[in-house]
Amino acid sequence: MGSHVRILRTQSGKAMPLRRPEIERALAGMGGKLAFLHGSEGEHIVMPALGDERERIVCEADELWARNPDERLLEAMIELARLLGARVRNDDFETLRSVDECYLHPDDRAAREAALASSGPGRAALRRARVIACLKLLLLALVAATALYRNFQGPG
C-alpha cells in the first residue's frame, strides 16, 4: 500500500470543491511546470518537463490527488495548492507546508481523531489475537503431521 496526498480546500471544516476553471488559472500561473493531460484513464495533471506520465495528479470529482508522489511532484502540488487557496494533506491528516515540514490543520483534527480511534488499540489487540490463534493452529497441525508421519513409518 502506498501513500496518497490530496489537494483540498476547507472552510470551517467543510470541504470546498476545486473547479476546473480555477485549476486552469492556477496552472497558467505556474509557467508550464504542470499541465492537463487527457488520457484513457481520465484527466490528469503532469509535469511536462519530466516527459513521464507516471508522476501525475489525478483529477476526479473536483478533487486532486496523487499516489506516492516524488519530491518534485510534491513541491509542484504544494505550489498549485497555494495558488488555489488550498493545501496538500497526506494520509496521516498532516498538511504540508513544504516537502519537509507539516502540521495538523484545525479542520482535520476531528477526522484524524476518528481515524486513530478506528485503528487504535482495540483493532491491534484483535489482530494480535488472530495471529496467535493462527500460530496455535499451525503448531497443532505440525504436531499432528509429525505424529502421523511417525505412525506410518512403522517399526524399525
Side-chain angles (χ1 to χ4, degrees):
M1 190 170 155
S3 68
H4 286 76
V5 294
R6 58 188 19 69
I7 296 177
L8 73 154
R9 181 173 45 211
T10 57
Q11 185 175 11
S12 301
K14 183 179 176 192
M16 307 299 290
L18 299 168
R19 304 280 187 215
R20 170 73 187 240
E22 65 182 322
I23 296 169
E24 288 175 346
R25 284 191 300 273
L27 291 176
M30 293 182 69
K33 189 182 291 185
L34 293 173
F36 272 112
L37 174 72
H38 306 280
S40 61
E41 296 179 24
E43 193 166 52
H44 301 95
I45 298 174
V46 297
M47 297 182 78
L50 295 180
D52 184 358
E53 296 171 15
R54 287 179 291 168
E55 287 294 325
R56 62 186 176 192
I57 302 168
V58 178
C59 308
E60 299 181 320
D62 299 326
E63 185 177 25
L64 303 174
W65 61 271
R67 181 179 305 143
N68 300 324
D70 71 7
E71 193 170 300
R72 294 171 296 186
L73 184 61
L74 199 51
E75 287 172 349
M77 288 179 75
I78 293 168
E79 183 180 344
L80 176 59
R82 285 186 182 126
L83 292 170
L84 290 167
R87 57 196 171 91
V88 176
R89 185 180 76 188
N90 65 20
D91 286 340
D92 296 324
F93 297 94
E94 298 168 329
T95 295
L96 284 73
R97 282 194 178 104
S98 69
V99 174
D100 301 316
E101 183 184 359
C102 59
Y103 68 98
L104 181 59
H105 191 278
D107 286 347
D108 296 332
R109 290 187 195 284
R112 182 177 183 175
E113 288 172 13
L116 289 174
S118 70
S119 65
R123 284 191 183 245
L126 181 61
R127 208 173 12 252
R128 192 171 31 259
R130 285 181 181 159
V131 167
I132 290 171
C134 287
L135 288 174
K136 285 180 181 178
L137 286 172
L138 184 62
L139 181 61
L140 182 62
L142 184 61
V143 168
T146 303
L148 284 172
Y149 177 75
R150 286 186 179 162
N151 189 33
F152 284 117
Q153 272 188 336

